[in-house]
Amino acid sequence: QLKRIIREEYSRLKRRGLIKEMGGFSQEVDDYCEQIMEELAMGDEMSYEELAGALGAIMPGFDEAMLGSAIDQCIQRGMIEARTGRDGLGVFMISNQYRM
């Protein structure tokens, strides 16, 4: 019962933003976010395939799963916006507040 209470309290604090997990790849996700922002700063918007191709060409050990995590983080942080493209995949652009 104590374990359940601890789990619930931990989840509640995490949802409120009072706990930030430092998982094994949080820095790597941040690196991907930085690269995503640099790529999107060069153009108006990019499809998922264009973004994966661009990052794959410049990032050693490119990981498409990590790209997905980074895209999710960038959207949650309000850095980028997404819409569905004609192919059913995402199309991404920098949020207005991050435009230069």
Side-chain angles (χ1 to χ4, degrees):
Q1 188 178 12
L2 181 58
K3 286 182 182 180
R4 182 183 54 80
I5 292 169
I6 292 170
R7 260 195 319 270
E8 289 173 359
E9 185 64 16
Y10 178 82
S11 295
R12 186 181 68 78
L13 292 171
K14 189 174 171 188
R15 278 192 308 271
R16 290 180 55 200
L18 298 174
I19 293 177
K20 182 177 179 183
E21 289 189 356
M22 296 303 290
F25 58 79
S26 64
Q27 180 59 51
E28 194 170 1
V29 168
D30 286 344
D31 292 343
Y32 273 71
C33 282
E34 186 177 323
Q35 291 299 319
I36 289 169
M37 294 300 285
E38 285 184 26
E39 288 300 319
L40 291 176
M42 294 179 191
D44 199 21
E45 63 183 30
M46 293 180 83
S47 70
Y48 177 85
E49 292 299 326
E50 291 170 326
L51 196 53
L55 268 61
I58 60 172
M59 296 182 79
F62 172 76
D63 180 352
E64 198 162 341
M66 191 62 65
L67 173 60
S69 295
I71 288 170
D72 288 344
Q73 280 297 310
C74 289
I75 291 171
Q76 288 178 16
R77 293 174 185 170
M79 299 164 71
I80 65 173
E81 297 173 2
R83 65 175 177 80
T84 304
R86 287 187 216 118
D87 57 3
L89 297 175
V91 176
F92 308 97
M93 69 283 309
I94 292 181
S95 298
N96 287 333
Q97 63 199 28
Y98 283 86
R99 291 190 189 273
M100 295 186 183

